[in-house]
Amino acid sequence: MTEGGAVPGPDGRPRCPWGLSTEDYVAYHDEEWGRPVHGDDELFERLCLEAFQSGLSWITILRRREGFRRAFDGFRIASVAGFGETDRERLLADEGIIRNRAKVDATLANAKLLATWSPGELDSLIWSYAPDPAGRPAPRSVSEVPAVTDESTALAKALKKRGIRFVGPTTAYALMQACGLVDDHVEGCVARGGK
């Protein structure tokens, strides 16, 4: 077994090591991370959560995801775009989410902007940066998984150019991983290839 490679879980099935680090991660790893996500609202949610995760552990966000969904009305772009100052103050007082003023403000501004886009435009833009999977061999260990790629740098640049706030190359790559634009499950992992 390669150091940082797939590790047998309690059920004997091999997984990425991080996917076994907490109980919360097992289901997320097995059923969600790396699986294709489509839809403007669905991608808006992931984009927002990755921005809120910036500087924090993903487990912090994962454990508060339902709180985020309640606070931001299921991340429906049309709804969040209508949030006003009262909603902003409510969000900044909501202990069920990360109460970071810059991240809350970016989420509200991004929703207002995205509400002006055509249906499917966010989905099309994000997925246009998915690399050819044939050119990406399975990482043998987590140490081979990059934090930034040329594609994530280009995606972040394209989103910023269109006015999206709080997204950089690392956040864009985390989004690409979480939403299945890339498959960074390590070689031998039970979830590799969306199994």
Side-chain angles (χ1 to χ4, degrees):
M1 180 183 334
T2 305
E3 184 69 31
V7 177
D11 59 3
R13 299 184 322 157
R15 292 178 176 86
C16 300
W18 68 265
L20 293 167
S21 61
T22 71
E23 285 185 30
D24 295 307
Y25 273 153
V26 176
Y28 178 70
H29 169 274
D30 288 2
E31 300 164 17
E32 189 173 348
W33 192 77
R35 304 262 174 127
V37 173
H38 285 282
D40 292 339
D41 291 343
E42 292 80 358
L43 289 166
F44 174 61
E45 175 183 355
R46 302 320 194 283
L47 185 63
C48 293
L49 293 178
E50 293 297 347
F52 273 101
Q53 185 270 329
S54 182
L56 303 170
S57 165
W58 177 247
I59 195 68
T60 302
I61 303 303
L62 189 60
R63 289 178 175 161
R64 292 181 185 210
R65 184 160 57 171
E66 290 310 313
F68 275 107
R69 286 175 172 165
R70 279 190 299 277
F72 287 99
D73 195 22
F75 289 98
R76 291 183 309 117
I77 294 169
S79 180
V80 180
F83 282 16
E85 187 57 32
T86 302
D87 295 296
R88 181 177 178 270
E89 293 307 316
R90 170 184 58 80
L91 292 165
L92 292 172
D94 190 333
E95 294 182 7
I97 67 170
I98 304 301
R99 296 171 293 167
N100 178 294
R101 187 173 307 275
K103 294 174 183 181
V104 167
D105 288 347
T107 299
L108 300 181
N110 289 343
K112 287 181 184 357
L113 175 68
L114 290 169
T116 68
W117 290 22
S118 301
E121 193 170 350
L122 178 61
D123 188 304
S124 293
L125 176 66
I126 288 174
W127 276 90
S128 71
Y129 288 89
D132 178 0
R136 293 180 53 88
R140 289 172 294 165
S141 70
V142 292
S143 65
E144 291 183 9
V145 176
V148 173
T149 63
D150 291 343
E151 293 89 357
S152 74
T153 301
L155 173 57
K157 185 176 179 180
L159 288 167
K160 284 182 183 178
K161 186 175 181 181
R162 299 283 303 271
I164 299 295
R165 295 168 47 181
F166 225 99
V167 60
T170 303
T171 299
Y173 194 66
L175 175 75
M176 293 172 79
Q177 291 174 305
C179 295
L181 280 76
V182 296
D183 184 352
D184 278 342
H185 287 285
V186 297
E187 186 176 73
C189 175
V190 69
R192 178 136 185 103
K195 297 177 202 169

